[in-house]
Amino acid sequence: MEAVDRRSAVASASSKRAKRLAQQAHKTHPVIQAKQNQMYLITTLSQGQVDTSLINRVLPKEVLLKVFSFLDTKALCRSAQVCRSWNILALDGSNWQRVDLFTFQRDVKTAVVENLARRCGGFLKELSLKGCENVHDSALRTFTSRCPNLEHLSLYRCKRVTDASCENLGRYCHKLKYLNLENCSSITDRAMKYIGDGCPNLSYLNISWCDAVQDRGVQIIITNCQSLDTLILRGCDGLSENVFGPVESQMGTLKKLNLLQCFQLTDVTVQNIANGAKILEYLCMSNCNQLTDRSLIALGQNSHNLKVLELSGCTLLGDNGFLQLAKGCRQLERLDIEDCSLVSDHTINALANQCATLRELSLSHCELITDESIQNLAAKHRESLNVLELDNCPQLTDSTLSHLRHCKALKRIDLYDCQNVSKDAIVRFQHHRPNIEIHAYFAPVTPPTDQVVNRGGMLF
């Protein structure tokens, strides 16, 4: 009986000792606990497994690290659960230089970001928290202080982020080049000052739909960030027509500018842009409905490097302005003038004759254009035209398709609601050019009242 008690005591002592060793190993080599339908980067940790893998004994650590460097975030987190040595390899900071947590956006909370910051440290260069609406300023405070080498950060739709996060970015992340703050609606001009003062290397900034940012905030960024080449300001209602006036001489590095739905902008704004941004290649002013032909004339006189221009919904623009634009902006590759209902064949002919590199053209709802200008466009751009959008152009007929059939580079044509283009003409076109994507809709013919109606139209 005493022998049995002795063996039981020894077993109990051994069990306690094993438990202490396991707890010690757990603290030294944490393994990520994966849960079904949750992000694998969760901060709950579990006990490491014994390493019995042959691959760990055959390949040196350097080779295994190279293999792990090709894994994405989810694969790294799964690999970390295999065994103790794989856990160490998977969580090595060199594997966490680029992290995208968009897949796990609903599960990313403050503790996750803090844990990530501790793991990555100075290795991390790119981080996307796109859509992670549960991330607070407190998490980004820890993150920015531990990851000073960050160059690329997306906080798109992180709606709980405020000026405080931008203050920490400016304080710690001086190497930042790319920053996306779209839909971070709580940030103000103070955030722009922190970024402008602390991140002089910034080349890309997106503050779309940040209504609290006003002229002064944008001006600080343009003044202080002298490498800025892309500025996205879609839907920024806080801006006035004079937003670029005081800084037009400092806009020389800008290549891409997006002002979609900045309703308060006028010809004065465009004149400032044309005067200052001499190397501008991309400009979007769609739905800026106060613009007139003066804006087009200013661009034609100054913006000779312009390649993409989006003016959809600018209903006051007409032929006089576009004639000057075509004369000065001969490098245009893509032009969107949907709903510019004052445009006629004169504009299309000018573009066809003077913009030799034109590849994509949207003319939807330009109701004055006819087959004559499309014939000229097709003849001059047989080798270059890729996309042509002609929705709701009622004066176009089957003749348009006959001309476009000879455009060798054409990939897509849109013909919705072109009432004078027949179904037979489209069928013939598709027979000759089957690889071209053609979009058209034909309403069903009105049937006799005593028949059952199939309400679906015909869609190509």
Side-chain angles (χ1 to χ4, degrees):
M1 188 70 177
E2 291 179 2
V4 172
D5 292 340
R6 192 179 300 111
R7 286 195 298 271
S8 177
V10 171
S12 177
S14 299
S15 176
K16 291 179 180 178
R17 183 171 178 271
K19 186 175 181 180
R20 285 197 303 272
L21 289 174
Q23 290 173 344
Q24 185 178 359
H26 167 70
K27 294 178 181 178
T28 308
H29 304 294
V31 178
I32 299 176
Q33 175 81 35
K35 294 185 178 180
Q36 187 176 10
N37 298 325
Q38 294 185 2
M39 66 168 295
Y40 295 95
L41 202 60
I42 203 163
T43 53
T44 304
L45 304 174
S46 64
Q47 182 175 328
Q49 300 177 18
V50 179
D51 182 3
T52 60
S53 174
L54 177 62
I55 192 173
N56 296 324
R57 297 196 297 269
V58 174
L59 296 178
K61 177 183 176 182
E62 293 76 12
V63 175
L64 286 171
L65 271 176
K66 184 64 176 177
V67 173
F68 274 67
S69 70
F70 293 100
L71 302 181
D72 60 17
T73 301
K74 184 180 292 188
L76 281 171
C77 294
R78 286 172 170 170
S79 299
Q81 302 168 80
V82 173
C83 61
R84 191 174 303 162
S85 61
W86 277 36
N87 178 260
I88 296 172
L89 291 168
L91 302 187
D92 189 274
S94 63
N95 292 321
W96 297 82
Q97 297 184 46
R98 295 170 179 82
V99 178
D100 185 351
L101 299 182
F102 176 68
T103 305
F104 314 113
Q105 55 182 300
R106 294 183 180 178
D107 300 298
V108 175
K109 296 180 174 63
T110 297
V112 172
V113 178
E114 292 176 345
N115 187 41
L116 181 67
R118 286 192 293 270
R119 178 178 309 147
C120 301
F123 287 100
L124 189 64
K125 293 184 177 180
E126 296 184 15
L127 174 66
S128 175
L129 294 173
K130 180 180 178 181
C132 299
E133 298 187 8
N134 293 317
V135 172
H136 295 259
D137 288 329
S138 58
L140 290 172
R141 185 186 310 118
T142 302
F143 176 83
T144 52
S145 63
R146 289 178 176 269
C147 303
N149 294 319
L150 190 67
E151 297 179 358
H152 185 292
L153 176 63
S154 176
L155 297 174
Y156 170 72
R157 294 195 69 181
C158 295
K159 296 184 178 181
R160 302 189 184 188
V161 168
T162 70
D163 293 343
S165 290
C166 294
E167 180 179 7
N168 287 309
L169 282 171
R171 180 177 299 170
Y172 298 110
C173 300
H174 305 305
K175 297 181 180 180
L176 197 64
K177 296 179 181 179
Y178 176 106
L179 179 60
N180 188 345
L181 295 170
E182 182 172 343
N183 280 116
C184 296
S185 52
S186 297
I187 68 169
T188 69
D189 286 351
R190 287 179 57 202
M192 298 299 97
K193 177 168 174 53
Y194 295 137
I195 296 299
D197 290 345
C199 306
N201 297 316
L202 198 68
S203 61
Y204 176 103
L205 178 64
N206 185 348
I207 52 172
S208 298
W209 318 109
C210 295
D211 295 339
V213 175
Q214 299 182 341
D215 291 359
R216 185 56 186 153
V218 173
Q219 291 163 6
I220 289 172
I221 291 293
I222 292 175
T223 301
N224 293 0
C225 302
Q226 298 182 8
S227 298
L228 191 71
D229 61 35
T230 301
L231 184 58
I232 314 297
L233 302 171
R234 292 177 296 170
C236 288
D237 290 339
L239 305 182
S240 76
E241 67 174 353
N242 296 313
V243 58
F244 300 119
V247 293
E248 71 172 34
S249 63
Q250 296 165 292
M251 298 173 65
T253 60
L254 270 183
K255 293 183 178 180
K256 296 181 181 180
L257 180 61
N258 194 323
L259 298 165
L260 172 76
Q261 284 188 217
C262 292
F263 300 116
Q264 61 279 25
L265 303 188
T266 67
D267 295 334
V268 172
T269 315
V270 181
Q271 185 67 64
N272 294 145
I273 295 170
N275 290 343
K278 298 290 187 180
I279 64 171
L280 197 66
E281 296 179 359
Y282 171 94
L283 178 60
C284 175
M285 297 186 294
S286 292
N287 295 328
C288 297
N289 50 23
Q290 296 190 58
L291 304 183
T292 71
D293 286 346
R294 291 182 180 180
S295 291
L296 297 179
I297 293 170
L299 292 174
Q301 291 173 344
N302 297 279
S303 302
H304 303 306
N305 292 316
L306 205 57
K307 295 181 179 178
V308 178
L309 181 59
E310 298 177 1
L311 297 168
S312 174
C314 297
T315 54
L316 300 179
L317 303 179
D319 288 336
N320 290 335
F322 281 110
L323 292 178
Q324 296 301 315
L325 180 78
K327 186 182 300 184
C329 300
R330 299 191 174 218
Q331 297 186 46
L332 270 179
E333 297 178 3
R334 177 156 61 92
L335 178 63
D336 183 355
I337 52 176
E338 180 177 351
D339 283 317
C340 295
S341 55
L342 300 179
V343 165
S344 73
D345 286 344
H346 294 298
T347 289
I348 312 308
N349 286 328
L351 293 170
N353 295 334
Q354 300 186 69
C355 299
T357 58
L358 195 63
R359 295 186 295 107
E360 298 182 20
L361 183 60
S362 177
L363 301 172
S364 297
H365 298 272
C366 295
E367 299 181 0
L368 300 179
I369 64 174
T370 70
D371 295 333
E372 181 268 328
S373 62
I374 300 300
Q375 178 181 2
N376 186 29
L377 180 69
K380 297 291 177 61
H381 291 271
R382 283 188 180 183
E383 307 293 335
S384 61
L385 192 63
N386 295 152
V387 175
L388 186 59
E389 298 176 358
L390 298 168
D391 299 332
N392 200 30
C393 294
Q395 297 196 53
L396 299 182
T397 69
D398 293 353
S399 178
T400 284
L401 283 180
S402 298
H403 301 312
L404 292 174
R405 195 171 69 189
H406 304 291
C407 292
K408 298 179 181 179
L410 199 59
K411 296 179 180 178
R412 175 167 64 86
I413 308 174
D414 289 355
L415 291 166
Y416 290 112
D417 295 317
C418 290
Q419 301 166 6
N420 290 315
V421 178
S422 69
K423 177 185 172 184
D424 290 339
I426 293 177
V427 171
R428 289 195 301 271
F429 183 92
Q430 289 183 317
H431 175 73
H432 288 93
R433 300 295 302 277
N435 294 325
I436 294 179
E437 200 177 326
I438 183 165
H439 299 156
Y441 176 82
F442 293 90
V445 177
T446 304
T449 56
D450 58 344
Q451 294 184 7
V452 177
V453 179
N454 179 4
R455 296 187 180 274
M458 299 189 68
L459 187 63
F460 285 85

